Every structure is written in structure tokens, then in C-alpha cells.
Amino acid sequence: MFSNSVIYANEESEESPQETAPLTLDTDVQVPEALWRTIDSENVEEVPTMALTPAPPLEPPPLKRVTLMLDWYLSPQHAALVIAQERGLYAAQGLEVEIQSPADPSIAIKLLTAGEVDLALTRQPLLHLHAHNGAPITRIATLIETSLTAVIVTGEEQVKAESTLAGLHYGYTTGEGRDLSIPRLLPRSVQQTDDFTPPVNLHFDPIRAMRENQIDAVADGFYHYLPQQLATEGINTHVIRFDELDIPRNDGLVVLANSDTLARRAATWSHFVLALEQASHWIIDNPDAAWELLISAHPVIDNDINASAWEDILRRIALSPAALDNRRYAGFETFLHQMGLTEATLPVSRLAVDPHTL
């Protein structure tokens, strides 16, 4: 540009030796063609031939897998576990929970202590007894807040004279019946007589034992189901609740974790219990829909006995599964010690925790 300007200036000075007039607003100015860019010469940017696509969404983190062993066959008392699964509440907490039924109820805690399963169900009295035997187990949640077992006695209800109850032949299915209720029914003086028949282990089959007249009473039967099941066999029964035997109130169904890994997996158990809490509240708010979802997911539950028990089970579901009643657990420890079943009392922190506080 500078060279062209010089050339034009020189040419102008050769043709017009006279002095150049000053420029005004009306002066015609001729711009050299070299300074113009013609339309044809403009570089038009090419339009991209492919549209840019957004980046693919990030894959959600994988769900943490948790295995849970039930205390026995699936039943309405396990509703919160099933509803949490069917409504996707575990997945919302980043968990994938596999619910297993044991072939033998006595193995659930054994598998938990061996690390073969992550969680297991039991009753509070059994938690205390196993913990005193050294099992590394801790309660992290409560599903049912009242005892689900009782003494189931054949025949019509009579005046509960101590002599009448002491004269019965008892069977039991767990340490709860053997160590807690039977000693309250059979005084030591009766057990020392020559004609005394010791209680028998029913190996979780009380119906057969009662059908064959091997026993007169089950020391720890599920009172929502066993009397109705026996009725279908033509066997009438009546129930003696544990509080009538001065056994302290206790949690009927609790979730156990391995205490050796409790601190390391605290966040997982907190998320698990949150899912249970959401499920429990939904069940209470929608009892009919909850029942339909329960039997739709597991048709084996759909029978008259379970349906008749559903309304009473609803009243016993824990709405705050993580909440821990320290007084209840400490009191039960004192009771066991006073009965002579334990040499000392364990601190509540060894037996049960609120996983949200870990």
C-alpha cells in the first residue's frame, strides 16, 4: 500500500506542477483499486458438513452389592426389605441388595460372622446370646419393634397355674426358647424330679412335633402364624406372651452387620437403613398397595394366614429403623445377667448402633 501511494503521488506531481489544493468535504477522492477488496475476492468460510453432537452422558457409578440373609422363610414381617427393593429405594441409595432365605435358620449368623453374607436378620434376645458367645455381630436397624414369638400351648386356655405350666412337655427352636422362656416355665425343682422330661430341640419343625404329640408346647413359636397353621391340622392352641413371663420387651426383628467391618462400611449401612426407613413410611401410608406389591413380587406369601397377620404386623413396623433404644438393650443385658445366663453385662455399643452416627 505504501509503495502504491508513493507512485500515485509522483504521477500527480508530474502532471500537475502547480500546488495541490487543500481537501474539503466536497473534494472528490479517488481511492486506488488496489485498496478495495471485491466481493468476488472475499474468502467465504466453509460451513461445517457435520453437526457437533453433545458428549455422551457419564455412566452412573456401579451399585454396591449387599447380600442379606433372612431369619427364616420370607413372610410379611420382612415387608420393608421387599418394598425397598421393589420400589427402587436401594438403587436410589447406590445399593443392589440380594435377599436370601436360609435352608436352616441357625446358619444365618454363622454365615455373617464368617463373612459369607453382609447382613443377617435375627431377634434381639438371640443377638445378646450370640454376642456373649463371642460372635462379632452388631444390630444396625430394627424392622419390628415388638417380640414376634411366644409360648404356644396345645388345648384351650386355662388358668395359668404354675403347676399346670410346669407339667407340660416343651419343645424349642432357638436359644431364645431354651434359655429364656423355658426356665420361666419350668422351676428348677420340677427339673430335678425323676419323672421330668427335658425340653427337646424341634429343629424348626414344631408342627410335626405337635401333630405327633411329641410335645405339649412350643417355647418360642411365631404367634402370628403357628396357631393358624396348627388349626389347619385340627390342633387348637393358646398363646402365652413373653411379658406374662416377666421377660423384658425386646425388638422382634433386627438387622445385624459384622462388627469387625462396621466402621469401614458405615456409609453403606447408613444408605441401606435410609432405604428401609423410606419403605416403612410408604407401607404405613399405603397399606393396601404395599400388600399388593408384596404378594405380586413374591406370590408364595399370598395365603390366608399371612393376609390375616398383615394388619397386626403393620402396627409393629419400625418407622425409624436406625433409632436405638439404649435403655431397652441395657435392660435386657441386666436381665440376662440376673438370670445367670451371662457372667457380665456388655456395653450397648457392643450390641447395637445407629449407623448414621458412625
Side-chain angles (χ1 to χ4, degrees), residues 148 150-153 206-207 210 218 221-241 305:
L148 296 173
V151 182
I152 313 297
V153 183
I207 294 179
M210 283 191 161
V218 180
F222 285 103
Y223 60 79
H224 284 106
Y225 313 113
L226 186 57
Q228 290 84 348
Q229 291 170 332
L230 291 170
T232 64
E233 301 274 342
I235 301 173
N236 294 324
T237 58
H238 63 278
V239 174
I240 301 175
R241 302 294 178 97
I305 293 175

PDB file of all heavy atoms in Angstrom, residues 148 150-153 206-207 210 218 221-241 305:
ATOM      1  N   LEU A 148     -42.074 -61.150  68.289  1.00  0.00           N
ATOM      2  CA  LEU A 148     -42.966 -61.882  67.387  1.00  0.00           C
ATOM      3  C   LEU A 148     -43.171 -63.323  67.831  1.00  0.00           C
ATOM      4  O   LEU A 148     -43.921 -64.063  67.201  1.00  0.00           O
ATOM      5  CB  LEU A 148     -42.397 -61.875  65.960  1.00  0.00           C
ATOM      6  CG  LEU A 148     -42.286 -60.509  65.280  1.00  0.00           C
ATOM      7  CD1 LEU A 148     -41.545 -60.636  63.961  1.00  0.00           C
ATOM      8  CD2 LEU A 148     -43.661 -59.905  65.065  1.00  0.00           C
ATOM      9  N   ALA A 150     -43.772 -66.326  71.079  1.00  0.00           N
ATOM     10  CA  ALA A 150     -44.443 -66.534  72.358  1.00  0.00           C
ATOM     11  C   ALA A 150     -44.489 -68.034  72.623  1.00  0.00           C
ATOM     12  O   ALA A 150     -44.076 -68.846  71.782  1.00  0.00           O
ATOM     13  CB  ALA A 150     -45.855 -65.948  72.331  1.00  0.00           C
ATOM     14  N   VAL A 151     -44.990 -68.389  73.789  1.00  0.00           N
ATOM     15  CA  VAL A 151     -45.191 -69.807  74.110  1.00  0.00           C
ATOM     16  C   VAL A 151     -46.537 -70.223  73.508  1.00  0.00           C
ATOM     17  O   VAL A 151     -47.571 -69.631  73.826  1.00  0.00           O
ATOM     18  CB  VAL A 151     -45.176 -70.043  75.630  1.00  0.00           C
ATOM     19  CG1 VAL A 151     -45.336 -71.539  75.936  1.00  0.00           C
ATOM     20  CG2 VAL A 151     -43.884 -69.510  76.247  1.00  0.00           C
ATOM     21  N   ILE A 152     -46.515 -71.234  72.652  1.00  0.00           N
ATOM     22  CA  ILE A 152     -47.737 -71.743  72.009  1.00  0.00           C
ATOM     23  C   ILE A 152     -48.086 -73.080  72.664  1.00  0.00           C
ATOM     24  O   ILE A 152     -47.307 -74.046  72.566  1.00  0.00           O
ATOM     25  CB  ILE A 152     -47.549 -71.933  70.495  1.00  0.00           C
ATOM     26  CG1 ILE A 152     -46.879 -70.699  69.875  1.00  0.00           C
ATOM     27  CG2 ILE A 152     -48.877 -72.247  69.823  1.00  0.00           C
ATOM     28  CD1 ILE A 152     -47.694 -69.441  69.983  1.00  0.00           C
ATOM     29  N   VAL A 153     -49.239 -73.132  73.356  1.00  0.00           N
ATOM     30  CA  VAL A 153     -49.617 -74.303  74.151  1.00  0.00           C
ATOM     31  C   VAL A 153     -50.830 -74.968  73.518  1.00  0.00           C
ATOM     32  O   VAL A 153     -51.789 -74.292  73.108  1.00  0.00           O
ATOM     33  CB  VAL A 153     -49.937 -73.897  75.606  1.00  0.00           C
ATOM     34  CG1 VAL A 153     -50.244 -75.134  76.443  1.00  0.00           C
ATOM     35  CG2 VAL A 153     -48.772 -73.124  76.216  1.00  0.00           C
ATOM     36  N   PRO A 206     -41.958 -77.354  64.512  1.00  0.00           N
ATOM     37  CA  PRO A 206     -42.879 -77.571  65.635  1.00  0.00           C
ATOM     38  C   PRO A 206     -44.203 -78.212  65.215  1.00  0.00           C
ATOM     39  O   PRO A 206     -44.841 -78.889  66.033  1.00  0.00           O
ATOM     40  CB  PRO A 206     -43.101 -76.157  66.174  1.00  0.00           C
ATOM     41  CG  PRO A 206     -42.852 -75.252  65.003  1.00  0.00           C
ATOM     42  CD  PRO A 206     -41.766 -75.913  64.219  1.00  0.00           C
ATOM     43  N   ILE A 207     -44.629 -77.979  63.979  1.00  0.00           N
ATOM     44  CA  ILE A 207     -45.923 -78.531  63.543  1.00  0.00           C
ATOM     45  C   ILE A 207     -45.889 -80.052  63.569  1.00  0.00           C
ATOM     46  O   ILE A 207     -46.822 -80.708  64.076  1.00  0.00           O
ATOM     47  CB  ILE A 207     -46.271 -78.004  62.134  1.00  0.00           C
ATOM     48  CG1 ILE A 207     -46.499 -76.494  62.190  1.00  0.00           C
ATOM     49  CG2 ILE A 207     -47.507 -78.712  61.596  1.00  0.00           C
ATOM     50  CD1 ILE A 207     -46.824 -75.881  60.848  1.00  0.00           C
ATOM     51  N   MET A 210     -45.973 -81.322  67.208  1.00  0.00           N
ATOM     52  CA  MET A 210     -47.292 -81.233  67.846  1.00  0.00           C
ATOM     53  C   MET A 210     -48.283 -82.198  67.202  1.00  0.00           C
ATOM     54  O   MET A 210     -49.136 -82.779  67.890  1.00  0.00           O
ATOM     55  CB  MET A 210     -47.814 -79.801  67.765  1.00  0.00           C
ATOM     56  CG  MET A 210     -47.171 -78.859  68.773  1.00  0.00           C
ATOM     57  SD  MET A 210     -48.013 -77.269  68.875  1.00  0.00           S
ATOM     58  CE  MET A 210     -47.435 -76.681  70.466  1.00  0.00           C
ATOM     59  N   VAL A 218     -44.715 -75.190  72.440  1.00  0.00           N
ATOM     60  CA  VAL A 218     -43.514 -74.657  71.790  1.00  0.00           C
ATOM     61  C   VAL A 218     -43.103 -73.406  72.561  1.00  0.00           C
ATOM     62  O   VAL A 218     -43.915 -72.487  72.733  1.00  0.00           O
ATOM     63  CB  VAL A 218     -43.770 -74.307  70.312  1.00  0.00           C
ATOM     64  CG1 VAL A 218     -42.503 -73.760  69.661  1.00  0.00           C
ATOM     65  CG2 VAL A 218     -44.266 -75.522  69.561  1.00  0.00           C
ATOM     66  N   GLY A 221     -42.591 -69.997  69.571  1.00  0.00           N
ATOM     67  CA  GLY A 221     -43.250 -70.065  68.270  1.00  0.00           C
ATOM     68  C   GLY A 221     -43.697 -68.687  67.781  1.00  0.00           C
ATOM     69  O   GLY A 221     -43.978 -67.789  68.585  1.00  0.00           O
ATOM     70  N   PHE A 222     -43.768 -68.515  66.473  1.00  0.00           N
ATOM     71  CA  PHE A 222     -44.275 -67.267  65.901  1.00  0.00           C
ATOM     72  C   PHE A 222     -45.799 -67.235  66.062  1.00  0.00           C
ATOM     73  O   PHE A 222     -46.515 -67.995  65.411  1.00  0.00           O
ATOM     74  CB  PHE A 222     -43.907 -67.159  64.423  1.00  0.00           C
ATOM     75  CG  PHE A 222     -42.461 -66.814  64.178  1.00  0.00           C
ATOM     76  CD1 PHE A 222     -41.557 -67.794  63.789  1.00  0.00           C
ATOM     77  CD2 PHE A 222     -42.005 -65.510  64.351  1.00  0.00           C
ATOM     78  CE1 PHE A 222     -40.223 -67.480  63.578  1.00  0.00           C
ATOM     79  CE2 PHE A 222     -40.673 -65.189  64.141  1.00  0.00           C
ATOM     80  CZ  PHE A 222     -39.775 -66.181  63.750  1.00  0.00           C
ATOM     81  N   TYR A 223     -46.265 -66.333  66.919  1.00  0.00           N
ATOM     82  CA  TYR A 223     -47.698 -66.368  67.259  1.00  0.00           C
ATOM     83  C   TYR A 223     -48.594 -65.822  66.149  1.00  0.00           C
ATOM     84  O   TYR A 223     -49.816 -66.000  66.207  1.00  0.00           O
ATOM     85  CB  TYR A 223     -47.972 -65.633  68.569  1.00  0.00           C
ATOM     86  CG  TYR A 223     -47.603 -64.174  68.606  1.00  0.00           C
ATOM     87  CD1 TYR A 223     -48.413 -63.198  68.038  1.00  0.00           C
ATOM     88  CD2 TYR A 223     -46.437 -63.763  69.242  1.00  0.00           C
ATOM     89  CE1 TYR A 223     -48.070 -61.859  68.095  1.00  0.00           C
ATOM     90  CE2 TYR A 223     -46.091 -62.425  69.299  1.00  0.00           C
ATOM     91  CZ  TYR A 223     -46.914 -61.475  68.724  1.00  0.00           C
ATOM     92  OH  TYR A 223     -46.573 -60.145  68.778  1.00  0.00           O
ATOM     93  N   HIS A 224     -48.043 -65.161  65.134  1.00  0.00           N
ATOM     94  CA  HIS A 224     -48.878 -64.727  64.013  1.00  0.00           C
ATOM     95  C   HIS A 224     -49.216 -65.886  63.074  1.00  0.00           C
ATOM     96  O   HIS A 224     -50.219 -65.819  62.368  1.00  0.00           O
ATOM     97  CB  HIS A 224     -48.160 -63.639  63.205  1.00  0.00           C
ATOM     98  CG  HIS A 224     -48.161 -62.301  63.856  1.00  0.00           C
ATOM     99  ND1 HIS A 224     -47.049 -61.759  64.454  1.00  0.00           N
ATOM    100  CD2 HIS A 224     -49.156 -61.396  64.015  1.00  0.00           C
ATOM    101  CE1 HIS A 224     -47.350 -60.570  64.945  1.00  0.00           C
ATOM    102  NE2 HIS A 224     -48.609 -60.331  64.702  1.00  0.00           N
ATOM    103  N   TYR A 225     -48.381 -66.909  63.070  1.00  0.00           N
ATOM    104  CA  TYR A 225     -48.523 -67.948  62.059  1.00  0.00           C
ATOM    105  C   TYR A 225     -48.757 -69.346  62.628  1.00  0.00           C
ATOM    106  O   TYR A 225     -49.612 -70.082  62.121  1.00  0.00           O
ATOM    107  CB  TYR A 225     -47.258 -67.986  61.183  1.00  0.00           C
ATOM    108  CG  TYR A 225     -46.818 -66.619  60.730  1.00  0.00           C
ATOM    109  CD1 TYR A 225     -45.628 -66.057  61.190  1.00  0.00           C
ATOM    110  CD2 TYR A 225     -47.602 -65.871  59.849  1.00  0.00           C
ATOM    111  CE1 TYR A 225     -45.228 -64.793  60.777  1.00  0.00           C
ATOM    112  CE2 TYR A 225     -47.208 -64.608  59.430  1.00  0.00           C
ATOM    113  CZ  TYR A 225     -46.025 -64.075  59.902  1.00  0.00           C
ATOM    114  OH  TYR A 225     -45.632 -62.812  59.501  1.00  0.00           O
ATOM    115  N   LEU A 226     -48.012 -69.707  63.680  1.00  0.00           N
ATOM    116  CA  LEU A 226     -48.074 -71.089  64.156  1.00  0.00           C
ATOM    117  C   LEU A 226     -49.463 -71.519  64.621  1.00  0.00           C
ATOM    118  O   LEU A 226     -49.929 -72.602  64.238  1.00  0.00           O
ATOM    119  CB  LEU A 226     -47.035 -71.309  65.258  1.00  0.00           C
ATOM    120  CG  LEU A 226     -46.889 -72.748  65.760  1.00  0.00           C
ATOM    121  CD1 LEU A 226     -46.557 -73.692  64.616  1.00  0.00           C
ATOM    122  CD2 LEU A 226     -45.809 -72.823  66.846  1.00  0.00           C
ATOM    123  N   PRO A 227     -50.190 -70.746  65.447  1.00  0.00           N
ATOM    124  CA  PRO A 227     -51.529 -71.195  65.853  1.00  0.00           C
ATOM    125  C   PRO A 227     -52.468 -71.426  64.669  1.00  0.00           C
ATOM    126  O   PRO A 227     -53.232 -72.405  64.660  1.00  0.00           O
ATOM    127  CB  PRO A 227     -52.025 -70.042  66.741  1.00  0.00           C
ATOM    128  CG  PRO A 227     -50.781 -69.422  67.278  1.00  0.00           C
ATOM    129  CD  PRO A 227     -49.792 -69.502  66.150  1.00  0.00           C
ATOM    130  N   GLN A 228     -52.404 -70.551  63.652  1.00  0.00           N
ATOM    131  CA  GLN A 228     -53.266 -70.723  62.482  1.00  0.00           C
ATOM    132  C   GLN A 228     -52.851 -71.948  61.672  1.00  0.00           C
ATOM    133  O   GLN A 228     -53.704 -72.676  61.146  1.00  0.00           O
ATOM    134  CB  GLN A 228     -53.213 -69.459  61.605  1.00  0.00           C
ATOM    135  CG  GLN A 228     -53.897 -68.244  62.216  1.00  0.00           C
ATOM    136  CD  GLN A 228     -52.977 -67.496  63.179  1.00  0.00           C
ATOM    137  OE1 GLN A 228     -51.925 -67.984  63.557  1.00  0.00           O
ATOM    138  NE2 GLN A 228     -53.393 -66.297  63.586  1.00  0.00           N
ATOM    139  N   GLN A 229     -51.554 -72.184  61.566  1.00  0.00           N
ATOM    140  CA  GLN A 229     -51.095 -73.362  60.839  1.00  0.00           C
ATOM    141  C   GLN A 229     -51.507 -74.643  61.551  1.00  0.00           C
ATOM    142  O   GLN A 229     -51.911 -75.622  60.919  1.00  0.00           O
ATOM    143  CB  GLN A 229     -49.571 -73.304  60.675  1.00  0.00           C
ATOM    144  CG  GLN A 229     -49.097 -72.204  59.729  1.00  0.00           C
ATOM    145  CD  GLN A 229     -47.591 -72.027  59.772  1.00  0.00           C
ATOM    146  OE1 GLN A 229     -46.938 -72.293  60.794  1.00  0.00           O
ATOM    147  NE2 GLN A 229     -47.008 -71.569  58.673  1.00  0.00           N
ATOM    148  N   LEU A 230     -51.404 -74.632  62.892  1.00  0.00           N
ATOM    149  CA  LEU A 230     -51.823 -75.807  63.656  1.00  0.00           C
ATOM    150  C   LEU A 230     -53.334 -76.021  63.574  1.00  0.00           C
ATOM    151  O   LEU A 230     -53.801 -77.173  63.593  1.00  0.00           O
ATOM    152  CB  LEU A 230     -51.385 -75.656  65.110  1.00  0.00           C
ATOM    153  CG  LEU A 230     -49.867 -75.731  65.357  1.00  0.00           C
ATOM    154  CD1 LEU A 230     -49.537 -75.328  66.781  1.00  0.00           C
ATOM    155  CD2 LEU A 230     -49.350 -77.135  65.057  1.00  0.00           C
ATOM    156  N   ALA A 231     -54.075 -74.935  63.474  1.00  0.00           N
ATOM    157  CA  ALA A 231     -55.534 -75.049  63.363  1.00  0.00           C
ATOM    158  C   ALA A 231     -55.930 -75.802  62.105  1.00  0.00           C
ATOM    159  O   ALA A 231     -56.919 -76.548  62.105  1.00  0.00           O
ATOM    160  CB  ALA A 231     -56.175 -73.665  63.387  1.00  0.00           C
ATOM    161  N   THR A 232     -55.175 -75.617  61.022  1.00  0.00           N
ATOM    162  CA  THR A 232     -55.472 -76.360  59.790  1.00  0.00           C
ATOM    163  C   THR A 232     -55.208 -77.857  59.962  1.00  0.00           C
ATOM    164  O   THR A 232     -55.696 -78.671  59.179  1.00  0.00           O
ATOM    165  CB  THR A 232     -54.623 -75.824  58.613  1.00  0.00           C
ATOM    166  OG1 THR A 232     -53.229 -76.060  58.883  1.00  0.00           O
ATOM    167  CG2 THR A 232     -54.863 -74.332  58.406  1.00  0.00           C
ATOM    168  N   GLU A 233     -54.425 -78.203  60.996  1.00  0.00           N
ATOM    169  CA  GLU A 233     -54.162 -79.609  61.305  1.00  0.00           C
ATOM    170  C   GLU A 233     -55.161 -80.142  62.336  1.00  0.00           C
ATOM    171  O   GLU A 233     -55.041 -81.279  62.790  1.00  0.00           O
ATOM    172  CB  GLU A 233     -52.740 -79.759  61.862  1.00  0.00           C
ATOM    173  CG  GLU A 233     -51.636 -79.290  60.940  1.00  0.00           C
ATOM    174  CD  GLU A 233     -51.210 -80.371  59.960  1.00  0.00           C
ATOM    175  OE1 GLU A 233     -51.519 -81.552  60.219  1.00  0.00           O
ATOM    176  OE2 GLU A 233     -50.569 -80.028  58.957  1.00  0.00           O
ATOM    177  N   GLY A 234     -56.105 -79.293  62.750  1.00  0.00           N
ATOM    178  CA  GLY A 234     -57.080 -79.693  63.743  1.00  0.00           C
ATOM    179  C   GLY A 234     -56.565 -79.603  65.169  1.00  0.00           C
ATOM    180  O   GLY A 234     -57.130 -80.225  66.075  1.00  0.00           O
ATOM    181  N   ILE A 235     -55.510 -78.809  65.385  1.00  0.00           N
ATOM    182  CA  ILE A 235     -54.911 -78.684  66.718  1.00  0.00           C
ATOM    183  C   ILE A 235     -55.206 -77.283  67.249  1.00  0.00           C
ATOM    184  O   ILE A 235     -54.745 -76.284  66.688  1.00  0.00           O
ATOM    185  CB  ILE A 235     -53.382 -78.899  66.667  1.00  0.00           C
ATOM    186  CG1 ILE A 235     -53.075 -80.286  66.094  1.00  0.00           C
ATOM    187  CG2 ILE A 235     -52.764 -78.727  68.041  1.00  0.00           C
ATOM    188  CD1 ILE A 235     -51.595 -80.531  65.849  1.00  0.00           C
ATOM    189  N   ASN A 236     -55.969 -77.207  68.327  1.00  0.00           N
ATOM    190  CA  ASN A 236     -56.268 -75.924  68.960  1.00  0.00           C
ATOM    191  C   ASN A 236     -55.137 -75.545  69.908  1.00  0.00           C
ATOM    192  O   ASN A 236     -54.559 -76.409  70.593  1.00  0.00           O
ATOM    193  CB  ASN A 236     -57.584 -76.004  69.739  1.00  0.00           C
ATOM    194  CG  ASN A 236     -58.772 -76.206  68.809  1.00  0.00           C
ATOM    195  OD1 ASN A 236     -58.792 -75.673  67.699  1.00  0.00           O
ATOM    196  ND2 ASN A 236     -59.765 -76.964  69.263  1.00  0.00           N
ATOM    197  N   THR A 237     -54.864 -74.258  69.977  1.00  0.00           N
ATOM    198  CA  THR A 237     -53.773 -73.781  70.822  1.00  0.00           C
ATOM    199  C   THR A 237     -54.155 -72.457  71.477  1.00  0.00           C
ATOM    200  O   THR A 237     -55.136 -71.815  71.086  1.00  0.00           O
ATOM    201  CB  THR A 237     -52.485 -73.551  70.002  1.00  0.00           C
ATOM    202  OG1 THR A 237     -52.761 -72.605  68.964  1.00  0.00           O
ATOM    203  CG2 THR A 237     -51.972 -74.840  69.389  1.00  0.00           C
ATOM    204  N   HIS A 238     -53.374 -72.053  72.450  1.00  0.00           N
ATOM    205  CA  HIS A 238     -53.485 -70.712  73.006  1.00  0.00           C
ATOM    206  C   HIS A 238     -52.072 -70.165  73.233  1.00  0.00           C
ATOM    207  O   HIS A 238     -51.091 -70.922  73.254  1.00  0.00           O
ATOM    208  CB  HIS A 238     -54.305 -70.683  74.304  1.00  0.00           C
ATOM    209  CG  HIS A 238     -53.718 -71.470  75.421  1.00  0.00           C
ATOM    210  ND1 HIS A 238     -53.875 -72.839  75.564  1.00  0.00           N
ATOM    211  CD2 HIS A 238     -52.967 -71.082  76.491  1.00  0.00           C
ATOM    212  CE1 HIS A 238     -53.261 -73.255  76.645  1.00  0.00           C
ATOM    213  NE2 HIS A 238     -52.697 -72.210  77.231  1.00  0.00           N
ATOM    214  N   VAL A 239     -51.984 -68.854  73.393  1.00  0.00           N
ATOM    215  CA  VAL A 239     -50.699 -68.158  73.399  1.00  0.00           C
ATOM    216  C   VAL A 239     -50.418 -67.561  74.769  1.00  0.00           C
ATOM    217  O   VAL A 239     -51.291 -66.954  75.391  1.00  0.00           O
ATOM    218  CB  VAL A 239     -50.689 -67.043  72.326  1.00  0.00           C
ATOM    219  CG1 VAL A 239     -49.405 -66.217  72.410  1.00  0.00           C
ATOM    220  CG2 VAL A 239     -50.852 -67.637  70.937  1.00  0.00           C
ATOM    221  N   ILE A 240     -49.181 -67.723  75.219  1.00  0.00           N
ATOM    222  CA  ILE A 240     -48.707 -67.056  76.431  1.00  0.00           C
ATOM    223  C   ILE A 240     -47.587 -66.104  76.010  1.00  0.00           C
ATOM    224  O   ILE A 240     -46.513 -66.546  75.571  1.00  0.00           O
ATOM    225  CB  ILE A 240     -48.170 -68.064  77.470  1.00  0.00           C
ATOM    226  CG1 ILE A 240     -49.272 -69.060  77.858  1.00  0.00           C
ATOM    227  CG2 ILE A 240     -47.648 -67.335  78.703  1.00  0.00           C
ATOM    228  CD1 ILE A 240     -48.805 -70.166  78.787  1.00  0.00           C
ATOM    229  N   ARG A 241     -47.861 -64.815  76.099  1.00  0.00           N
ATOM    230  CA  ARG A 241     -46.867 -63.821  75.663  1.00  0.00           C
ATOM    231  C   ARG A 241     -45.702 -63.772  76.645  1.00  0.00           C
ATOM    232  O   ARG A 241     -45.831 -64.060  77.832  1.00  0.00           O
ATOM    233  CB  ARG A 241     -47.510 -62.430  75.553  1.00  0.00           C
ATOM    234  CG  ARG A 241     -48.690 -62.363  74.584  1.00  0.00           C
ATOM    235  CD  ARG A 241     -48.257 -62.599  73.158  1.00  0.00           C
ATOM    236  NE  ARG A 241     -49.378 -62.590  72.244  1.00  0.00           N
ATOM    237  CZ  ARG A 241     -49.754 -61.533  71.524  1.00  0.00           C
ATOM    238  NH1 ARG A 241     -49.085 -60.381  71.645  1.00  0.00           N
ATOM    239  NH2 ARG A 241     -50.786 -61.605  70.710  1.00  0.00           N
ATOM    240  N   ILE A 305     -53.333 -67.075  55.955  1.00  0.00           N
ATOM    241  CA  ILE A 305     -52.654 -66.861  57.235  1.00  0.00           C
ATOM    242  C   ILE A 305     -51.867 -65.557  57.213  1.00  0.00           C
ATOM    243  O   ILE A 305     -51.944 -64.746  58.144  1.00  0.00           O
ATOM    244  CB  ILE A 305     -51.738 -68.054  57.556  1.00  0.00           C
ATOM    245  CG1 ILE A 305     -52.587 -69.309  57.812  1.00  0.00           C
ATOM    246  CG2 ILE A 305     -50.860 -67.751  58.760  1.00  0.00           C
ATOM    247  CD1 ILE A 305     -51.771 -70.572  58.031  1.00  0.00           C
TER     248      ILE A 305
END
